[in-house]
Amino acid sequence: MRFEFNIEPVEQARPRATRMGKGIRLYDSKKVTIFKRQLGMLAKQQMLDRGLEPYDGPLEVCMEFYRLVQTSISKKEQARRLSGVHRPTVKPDLDNYIKSASDALNGIIWEDDNLIVSLQAEKFYSERPHLVVEIRGEVEK
């Protein structure tokens, strides 16, 4: 099952902290919170349109993160990046993209991201930032 979301990927940032009485409350930054909420809404719509319930068994997942090409580079370098010759080796880190996306899809595409037993993820440049999540099939139980 393949899902494509027209949203710019956002990396999971370090949690913010605030004091609450004698304890500490951790929370996501505003940027990450908005991303997770928007991605969740897009995923819910696609799941409803397809009449699907969240997967609840072991999953093999492939994620592709497409980010904008920097505008401060030459046209020749932009072309190289868009063609895939030059892939993103800059921040944000791939694992931070994975964390924010998998958390946002909890309870929507899968019951919980702990069900993911195999994961492949890649970063690409694109003129249109987006995210592709493919469930390659439930692993036999």
Side-chain angles (χ1 to χ4, degrees), residues 18 27 44 85 100 132 138 141:
T18 185
Y27 60 96
K44 281 180 190 174
V85 171
S100 64
V132 175
E138 286 190 74
K141 296 179 184 177

Side-chain angles (χ1 to χ4, degrees), residues 57-61 110 112-120 137-140:
L59 299 171
E60 294 179 356
V61 175
W110 42 71
D112 193 277
D113 55 359
N114 64 4
L115 296 171
I116 299 171
V117 297
S118 174
L119 177 66
Q120 177 184 345
E138 286 190 74
V139 178
E140 291 299 318

Side-chain angles (χ1 to χ4, degrees), residues 17-109:
T18 185
R19 289 181 187 255
M20 291 195 60
K22 294 183 180 182
I24 295 176
R25 181 181 146 247
L26 298 176
Y27 60 96
D28 285 332
S29 69
K30 185 174 182 177
K31 179 180 172 183
V32 173
T33 300
I34 291 170
F35 169 76
K36 287 180 179 180
R37 186 177 305 128
Q38 289 176 338
L39 180 57
M41 289 188 308
L42 292 170
K44 281 180 190 174
Q45 188 59 55
Q46 286 194 36
M47 293 294 281
L48 283 172
D49 291 349
R50 298 175 188 194
L52 297 173
E53 293 292 322
Y55 292 95
D56 66 354
L59 299 171
E60 294 179 356
V61 175
C62 176
M63 293 183 180
E64 296 173 358
F65 300 91
Y66 294 84
R67 58 172 289 164
L68 283 174
V69 177
Q70 298 89 332
T71 56
S72 61
I73 57 174
S74 70
K75 298 269 189 214
K76 183 177 179 181
E77 182 58 24
Q78 281 184 352
R80 290 183 71 228
R81 292 179 183 199
L82 291 172
S83 70
V85 171
H86 182 177
R87 298 271 297 273
T89 57
V90 295
K91 290 189 181 280
D93 298 350
L94 183 58
D95 59 328
N96 292 330
Y97 275 147
I98 293 166
K99 183 67 177 153
S100 64
S102 61
D103 285 351
L105 299 173
N106 275 343
I108 301 169
I109 292 183

